[in-house]
């Protein structure tokens, strides 16, 4: 009995020890909080956890470089005609897919037009709507998309109906290139049932996916024929873990990287003490409070401005984000090229708030601490969703802040999908939401009045139902301008305008935080969140 | 229980009470519960601070003489919220048990007494309910109705009545054929009167025990569901949602005052109720002779 | 007896039927759909309609149910919307993991709880008994996720004895025996958490069942006859006391198979619990309904076996 115990304890300790040792082989392990679902096809992947794979195994024509600007990736040159309707990309030589087949412009054409096949049942059908011939192609009248032309084995040309200022962004970044010779053999309508093919993605990236164990991990092994040179690491593994234990696993060396979401100072201190690198990747996004613009009380700009003054937005950044983020006064963060100067900061001031409410005709009874509108005490319901700890705290804080100006707030926490649905239908009074913007500065989807649908219809992308002719005019100009300097001036103007009008009350910008082991070297992270996590992964190596 | 021959001349209830008083653990449990209920009721009077008042400068502050249990992740006094939390946790336990008892007793008595078809139908429904995996249904219903205290009470109550139905039905079945009831039937009393006036009072013993333990179950369910984010919503504090705030690992390892007190309170409360319920079961059980 | 058995077995079918209808209706009543959380502004309403039409979302509820039922009877449980994989393979995969976890925890808890419960009963009111009683009370009173997090904090994080979560050490390249040992290492903490709570209940039940038997007349008779104490306890009392315990174990299996959501979530153990939770959040209807059926089925079978055992043993119980 004693002997058995000894044997058992020894193997026990051995394994614990091995657990540590295993980490230092040439394998890099990334912890993620949601497991990829196995849809590893760029045209069909919808969950961001599947993007971890599709944006790594597959590559796009262009990518973001360390200065935040577009740089060559699969394409070595790119240009557009002066009127912004013809986009040409020239591919590099010698790019191979993971199965050894060379990449050609045929694959690029196929990858882009794929979402237009009549039987395509995925989420990206609208990505190609700007291309010439798309209506005929989707209706099945043409066999392929005429607006995309293969000029030679390395050159591809895309023609759009009208000036398309988002051309480089759309065609260069939004389409990952996958192999025609594999997917043309599968009937488009049945592609999602080809589970085996889906889960053995063949791309051009520096690592190929070699193992997928659902709900546990995904293994990527180096691709020696990668066009930029064979990677130095042997393997990269995506490990499913959960938020509570991931930090501990990081410290014990069981994993090498996590995306921790918001970081507190004590967390940051602990990370640094364990030799971790904290990288805050700027994200062109913002968290905001939306007040229903179709309801009378909120249609007065002064009311919205008053609310902005009443909320302790700086407190959120200082205390909930502990400095990992900044207060937001318009859609663009300070790290973005379209960020305007001279904005109104709507500093936290109860007095200023009360003043503005007064000018808007609201009556504050200081004795009872109640705000009255049209003789009735003001009371609103604030909807917000689960899953974002900082936002949940904001809801509670804002309830308190508004209580201080006599406004009663009822909190309603909901599942994200459900809340989002109601909010888009305009079935809400106040809500807390986060929003990302396009990297080319375009804000049309959210603020352009053309995209407004009637109340009760959840399909319009401008669901706050904001209508401002001046903003519309500026956005229209933006559609027609490819000149980057002109665009900067334009979008800065829009930013300033939105800062004054406050269609939504901007709360904060936040970086995407990546925390990883200091032992990893050779890594650069371009300042564009979501697209730069694997930048030049072939150059990464361990310092040992 | 009421039908056993009583030798000493004392009523069965008096005998049970005496037995209970001798059970030290049960008395301890009763004592603790009384204190907790008192605390819950007196919360607004005895708590040192406002329940929801946020002090952004004191987030995660460790215990001091001013804030005996420190501050939570939003800068609110933990001790205050802990005491208010008792209200939620205890009331969820009680209300959900009341719901379960009302449904369970009525259905169980009807099933046991009526026999044949009615019994079969009711028992089939019980079967269906009993094989519902609890958390699956709880999560689905929370998804439909949204998280809230009322939904929590409903879910808890609606999913716990089947076992009580079975217990009551078994008791009723065994009582159905004894002389007492036969006499009532012979006297021409209608079924409803018999069930409500004669049978149910005699099945009180297991109901009391079940109800007591059910409250404990309800508190644990509240903790679990709020932990998953399906229960009590902010800013209302409950022991369950205070525990879930500790899902951040740093909080787990460093800010112990935020989560250990509520966890401990759940343990102590449920433990006390279990002591009491167990004591009640022993006291009301005719088979154990002290 | 036989008639009772056949009736019980036959009843399983309508009960499963009932379960499927209720769950089907409930999950489809939940607001939202599998794609409501997609916030990519490039994902237009037209795209969404296409996707939803492809999964038959716009059919009226009875039509959806009938369609599903038709295929389910033939063994086709449908396709998971989230994983784009047959539901059956998704469930089998997770079910395997739950089985390993539950059965190991059950075995451990039985091995420990039953002997302790018996001894506790025979040594009633001693310190041993007292300690066991308090321990078991604590075990049934503590929220299991709280216990799990305490274990992780102290045993995994502070003392480094166990891995923190998951089923294996990723990227270690283990194979064969080493892989098995690594798996066992990861299995231990969740098993301990589950077993501790189970044990508590089982110990109490064993103890009280044993006590009940010991008080019986026939035991007193055996003692009066002069039989050795040991023989009395282990030969007569124990056998009879264990039967109710066995039935409780059977019922536990049924419930264990439905996956312990809380434990699996804290330990990141990919079992039925996590599958159900995620599928409901993702509105993966086919998976939710099938999971419910699998769980219900096991609970029913386990209860049936428990009832049969109980009936065999206790001749006083008559099943009409």
């Amino acid at each position: 009995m004693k002997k058995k115990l000894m044997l058992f304890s020894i193997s026990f300790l051995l394994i614990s020890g091995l657990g540590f040792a295993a980490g230092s082989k040439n394998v890099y392990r990334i912890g993620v909080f949601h497991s990829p679902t196995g849809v590893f096809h760029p045209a069909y992947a919808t969950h961001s956890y599947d993007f971890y794979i599709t944006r790594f195994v597959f590559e796009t024509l262009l990518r973001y470089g360390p200065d935040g600007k577009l740089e060559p990736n699969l394409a070595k040159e790119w240009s557009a005609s002066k009127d912004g309707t013809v986009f040409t990309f020239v591919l590099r030589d010698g790019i191979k897919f993971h199965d050894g087949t060379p990449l050609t412009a045929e694959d690029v054409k196929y990858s882009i037009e794929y979402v237009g096949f009549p039987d395509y049942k995925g989420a990206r059908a609208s990505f190609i709507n700007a291309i010439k011939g798309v209506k005929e192609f989707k209706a099945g009248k043409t066999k392929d998309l005429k607006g995309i032309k293969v000029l030679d084995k390395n050159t591809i040309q895309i023609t759009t109906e009208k000036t398309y200022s988002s051309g480089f962004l759309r065609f260069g970044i939004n389409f990952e290139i996958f192999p025609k010779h594999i997917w043309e053999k599968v009937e488009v309508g049945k592609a999602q049932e080809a589970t085996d093919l889906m889960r053995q993605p063949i791309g051009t990236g520096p690592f190929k996916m070699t193992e997928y164990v659902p709900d546990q991990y995904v293994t990527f092994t180096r691709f020696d024929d990668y066009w930029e040179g064979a990677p130095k690491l042997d393997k990269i593994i995506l490990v499913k873990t959960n938020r509570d234990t991931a930090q501990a696993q990081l410290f014990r060396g069981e994993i090498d990287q996590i995306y921790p979401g918001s970081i507190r100072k004590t967390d940051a201190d602990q990370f640094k003490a364990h030799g971790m690198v904290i990288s805050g990747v700027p994200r062109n996004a913002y968290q905001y409070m939306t007040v229903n613009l179709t309801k009378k009380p909120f249609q007065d700009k002064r009311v919205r401005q008053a609310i902005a003054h009443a909320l302790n937005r700086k407190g959120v950044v200082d205390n909930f984000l502990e400095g990992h983020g900044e207060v937001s006064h318009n859609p663009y963060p300070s790290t973005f090229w379209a960020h305007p100067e001279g904005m109104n900061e709507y500093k936290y001031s109860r007095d200023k708030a009360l003043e503005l409410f007064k000018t808007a005709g609201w009556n504050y009874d200081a004795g009872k601490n109640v705000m009255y509108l049209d003789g009735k005490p003001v009371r609103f319901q604030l909807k917000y969703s689960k899953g974002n700890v900082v936002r949940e705290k904001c809801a509670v804080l804002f309830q308190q802040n508004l209580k201080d100006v006599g406004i009663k707030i009822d909190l309603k926490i909901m599942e994200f999908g459900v809340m989002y649905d109601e909010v888009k239908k305009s079935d809400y009074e106040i809500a807390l939401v986060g929003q990302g913007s396009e990297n080319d500065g375009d804000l049309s989807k959210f603020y352009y009045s053309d995209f407004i649908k009637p109340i009760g219809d959840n399909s319009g992308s401008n669901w706050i139902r904001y209508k401002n002719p001046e903003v519309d005019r500026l956005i229209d100009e933006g559609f027609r301008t490819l000149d980057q300097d002109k665009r900067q001036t334009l979008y800065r103007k829009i930013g300033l305008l939105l800062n004054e009008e406050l269609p939504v009350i901007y709360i904060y910008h936040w970086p995407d935080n990546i925390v990883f082991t200091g032992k990893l070297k050779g890594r650069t992270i371009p300042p564009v969140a979501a697209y730069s996590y694997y930048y030049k992964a072939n150059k990464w190596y361990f310092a040992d | 229980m009421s039908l056993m021959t009583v030798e000493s001349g004392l009523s069965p209830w008096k005998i049970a009470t005496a037995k209970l008083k001798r059970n030290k653990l049960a008395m301890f449990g009763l004592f603790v519960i009384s204190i907790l209920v008192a605390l819950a009721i007196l919360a607004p009077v005895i708590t040192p601070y406002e329940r929801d008042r946020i002090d952004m400068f004191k987030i995660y502050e460790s215990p001091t003489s001013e804030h005996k249990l420190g501050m939570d992740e939003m800068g609110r006094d933990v001790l205050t919220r802990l005491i208010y939390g008792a209200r939620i946790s205890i009331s969820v336990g009680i209300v959900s048990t009341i719901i379960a008892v009302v449904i369970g007793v009525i259905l169980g008595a009807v099933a046991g007494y009526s026999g044949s078809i009615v019994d079969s139908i009711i028992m089939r429904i019980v079967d269906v309910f009993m094989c519902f995996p609890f958390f699956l249904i709880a999560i689905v219903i929370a998804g439909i109705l949204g998280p809230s205290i009322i939904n929590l009470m409903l879910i808890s109550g609606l999913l716990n009545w089947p076992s009580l139905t079975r217990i009551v039905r078994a008791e009723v079945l065994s009582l159905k054929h004894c002389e007492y009831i036969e006499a009532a039937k012979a006297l021409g009393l209608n079924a409803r009167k018999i069930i409500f006036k004669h049978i149910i009072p005699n099945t009180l013993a297991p109901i009391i025990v079940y109800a007591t333990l059910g409250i404990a179950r309800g508190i644990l369910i509240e903790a679990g569901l709020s932990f998953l984010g399906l229960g009590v919503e902010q800013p209302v504090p409950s022991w369950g949602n205070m525990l879930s705030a500790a899902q951040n690992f740093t909080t787990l390892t460093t800010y112990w005052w935020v989560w250990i007190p509520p966890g401990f309170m759940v343990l102590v409360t449920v433990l006390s109720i279990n002591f009491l319920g167990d004591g009640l079961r022993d006291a009301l059980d005719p088979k154990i002779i002290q | 007896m036989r008639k009772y058995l056949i009736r019980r077995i036959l009843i399983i079918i309508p009960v499963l039927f009932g379960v499927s209808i209720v769950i089907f209706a409930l999950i489809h009543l939940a607001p939202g759909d599998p794609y409501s959380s997609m916030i990519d502004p490039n994902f237009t309403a037209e795209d969404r309609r296409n996707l939803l039409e492809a999964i038959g979302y716009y059919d009226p509820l009875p039509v959806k149910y009938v369609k599903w039922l038709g295929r389910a009877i033939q063994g086709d449980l449908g396709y998971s919307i989230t994983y784009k994989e047959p539901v059956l393979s998704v469930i089998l995969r997770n079910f395997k993991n739950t089985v390993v976890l539950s059965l190991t925890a059950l075995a451990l808890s039985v091995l420990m709880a039953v002997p302790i419960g018996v001894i506790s009963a025979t040594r009633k009111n001693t310190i041993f008994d007292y300690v066991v009683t308090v321990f078991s009370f604590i075990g049934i009173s503590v929220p299991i996720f709280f216990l799990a997090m305490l274990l992780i904090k102290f045993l995994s994080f502070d003392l480094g004895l166990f891995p923190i979560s998951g089923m294996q050490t990723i990227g270690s390249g283990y194979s064969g025996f080493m892989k098995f040992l690594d798996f066992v290492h990861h299995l231990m903490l969740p098993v301990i958490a589950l077993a501790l709570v189970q044990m508590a209940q089982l110990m109490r039940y064993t103890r009280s069942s044993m006590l009940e038997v010991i008080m019986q007349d026939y035991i007193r008779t055996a003692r009066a006859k002069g039989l050795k104490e040991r023989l009395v306890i282990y030969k007569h009392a124990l056998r009879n006391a264990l039967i109710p315990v066995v039935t409780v174990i059977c019922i536990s299996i049924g419930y264990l198979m439905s996956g312990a959501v809380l434990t699996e979530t804290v330990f990141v153990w990919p079992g039925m619990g996590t599958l159900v939770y995620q599928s409901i959040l993702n509105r993966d209807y086919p998976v939710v309904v099938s999971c419910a059926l699998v769980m219900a089925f096991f609970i029913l079978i386990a209860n049936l076996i428990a009832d049969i055992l109980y009936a065999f043993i206790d001749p006083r119980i008559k099943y009409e």
Side-chain angles (χ1 to χ4, degrees), chain A residues 19 94 113 350 390 401-402 433 452 468 471 496 521 534:
Chain A
E113 71 183 6
R350 187 172 164 268
V390 176
N401 289 155
L402 288 172
V433 191
I452 298 180
N468 183 325
V471 172
L496 267 173
K521 304 289 174 200
Y534 300 119

Side-chain angles (χ1 to χ4, degrees), chain C residues 92-301:
Chain C
L92 277 176
R93 189 173 56 226
N94 287 61
F95 191 66
K96 256 192 319 178
N97 300 330
T98 292
V99 166
V100 170
L101 182 60
S102 331
L103 290 183
T104 314
L106 191 64
L108 183 63
S109 64
V110 168
L111 278 173
M112 304 225 37
V114 172
I116 295 182
V118 168
I119 298 178
S120 183
T122 57
R123 299 203 198 302
K124 191 167 168 219
N125 293 330
T126 57
I127 303 236
F128 180 84
D129 184 30
Y130 203 71
V131 168
V132 166
T133 305
V134 172
F135 173 79
S136 43
F137 267 109
I138 294 182
I140 62 172
S141 309
V142 72
I144 192 167
F145 58 94
F146 184 55
L147 176 65
M149 286 164 93
L150 285 174
L151 286 174
I152 293 181
K153 181 211 179 334
F154 291 113
L155 296 184
S156 266
F157 187 65
D158 290 345
L159 295 179
L161 284 176
F162 296 97
I164 291 184
S165 67
M167 273 183 20
Q168 51 195 279
T169 308
I170 312 299
S172 55
Y174 292 145
S175 57
F177 187 62
M178 288 310 289
K179 188 164 182 188
F180 176 70
L181 277 184
D182 180 50
F183 172 71
V184 169
H185 196 207
H186 278 82
L187 183 63
M188 285 172 148
L189 216 48
V191 161
I192 292 178
L194 272 177
L196 279 176
V197 170
Q198 280 246 291
M199 216 161 80
Q201 210 179 41
L202 212 49
M203 276 195 303
R204 296 195 62 225
Y205 205 79
T206 309
R207 178 182 178 274
S208 65
S209 173
M210 191 68 184
L211 275 178
E212 209 176 284
V213 167
I214 289 183
M215 302 290 188
Q216 300 278 6
D217 289 337
Y218 66 90
I219 296 294
R220 274 196 263 163
T221 315
R223 281 205 184 113
K225 273 209 215 157
L227 284 175
K228 268 208 284 203
E229 184 69 10
R230 235 185 185 196
L231 197 61
V232 171
I233 300 290
Y234 292 112
K235 193 151 184 238
H236 295 283
L238 191 63
R239 249 196 315 179
N240 293 317
L242 279 187
I243 286 113
V245 175
V246 168
T247 60
V248 168
I249 294 178
C250 272
I251 297 179
S252 306
I253 296 185
Y255 283 102
L256 273 177
M257 289 308 181
S258 50
V261 176
L262 296 167
T263 321
E264 287 182 12
T265 310
V266 176
F267 286 109
V268 191
W269 193 265
M272 290 297 277
T274 30
L275 180 63
V276 160
Y277 185 53
Q278 285 306 318
S279 303
I280 293 176
L281 286 185
N282 293 333
R283 303 284 191 266
D284 195 347
Y285 310 115
V287 174
V288 175
V289 178
S290 304
C291 276
L293 284 175
V294 167
M295 295 176 181
F297 178 71
F298 273 96
I299 295 178
L300 278 169
I301 294 284

Side-chain angles (χ1 to χ4, degrees), chain B residues 133 139-140 144 228 274-275 278, chain C residues 26 137 141 204 277 280 295:
Chain B
I139 300 173
V140 173
I144 300 175
L228 287 177
N274 279 330
F275 281 153
D278 208 59
Chain C
L26 279 182
F137 267 109
S141 309
R204 296 195 62 225
Y277 185 53
I280 293 176
M295 295 176 181

Side-chain angles (χ1 to χ4, degrees), chain A residues 432-451:
Chain A
L432 292 183
V433 191
Q435 180 97 9
S437 315
E438 296 281 4
N439 285 315
D440 64 350
D442 175 30
L443 294 172
S444 63
K445 300 218 173 49
F446 201 53
Y447 298 104
Y448 195 51
S449 62
D450 266 13
F451 295 135

Side-chain angles (χ1 to χ4, degrees), chain A residues 342-494:
Chain A
M343 289 191 290
N344 184 339
E345 293 189 8
Y346 299 104
K347 292 217 163 84
Y348 178 44
S349 160
R350 187 172 164 268
D351 294 327
K352 201 103 216 318
L354 288 172
E355 209 183 290
L356 277 166
F357 275 125
K358 194 156 177 219
T359 60
W362 294 35
N363 297 306
Y364 180 63
D365 181 335
K368 289 193 233 164
N369 187 28
V370 177
M371 180 73 76
Y372 289 92
L373 175 62
D374 298 331
K376 285 192 290 213
V378 176
R379 184 174 181 165
F380 295 120
Q381 186 191 58
L382 192 155
K383 290 185 178 169
Y384 66 107
S385 64
K386 286 188 283 196
N388 181 330
V389 178
V390 176
R391 195 161 59 202
E392 289 176 36
K393 290 184 184 178
C394 283
V396 183
L397 176 65
F398 293 157
Q399 181 190 43
Q400 193 72 150
N401 289 155
L402 288 172
K403 182 167 173 211
D404 288 339
V405 291
I407 298 178
K408 188 162 182 356
I409 297 287
D410 298 313
L411 293 181
K412 185 161 188 216
I413 191 169
M414 311 169 73
E415 265 183 60
F416 178 73
V418 180
M419 182 202 85
Y420 197 51
D421 208 49
E422 287 183 12
V423 154
K424 284 196 286 182
K425 291 192 183 130
S426 202
D427 173 17
Y428 73 102
E429 289 174 331
I430 307 184
L432 292 183
V433 191
Q435 180 97 9
S437 315
E438 296 281 4
N439 285 315
D440 64 350
D442 175 30
L443 294 172
S444 63
K445 300 218 173 49
F446 201 53
Y447 298 104
Y448 195 51
S449 62
D450 266 13
F451 295 135
I452 298 180
K453 285 272 159 49
I455 295 180
D457 184 332
N458 68 350
S459 63
S461 61
N462 177 353
W463 49 264
I464 55 171
R465 289 158 173 92
Y466 178 61
K467 206 176 161 97
N468 183 325
E470 179 63 14
V471 172
D472 284 344
R473 192 186 65 79
L474 289 168
I475 289 181
D476 268 328
E477 247 188 83
F479 281 153
R480 294 190 306 263
T481 320
L482 264 83
D483 181 318
Q484 187 61 8
D485 287 325
K486 283 216 191 96
R487 288 173 72 82
Q488 188 175 42
T489 319
L490 259 177
Y491 287 120
R492 280 192 169 148
K493 266 207 205 130
I494 299 182

Side-chain angles (χ1 to χ4, degrees), chain A residues 244 247-248 264 266-267 270 312 315 319-320 384 386 393 396-397 399-400 403-404 411 413 415, chain B residues 50 52-54 56 59-60 73-74 76 143 147 229-230 233-235 247-250 254-255:
Chain A
D244 320 332
Q247 248 184 340
R264 300 190 55 83
T266 33
D267 294 334
Q270 282 208 22
N312 188 357
N319 294 297
F320 295 157
Y384 66 107
K386 286 188 283 196
K393 290 184 184 178
V396 183
L397 176 65
Q399 181 190 43
Q400 193 72 150
K403 182 167 173 211
D404 288 339
L411 293 181
I413 191 169
E415 265 183 60
Chain B
E50 225 182 278
D52 297 342
R53 175 51 54 179
I54 294 174
M56 301 218 66
I59 293 182
Y60 282 131
E73 74 283 358
M74 295 272 314
R76 300 173 295 201
L230 302 172
E233 348 71 281
Q234 291 287 349
Q247 273 171 357
N248 169 262
F249 202 79
T250 316
T254 322
Y255 307 125

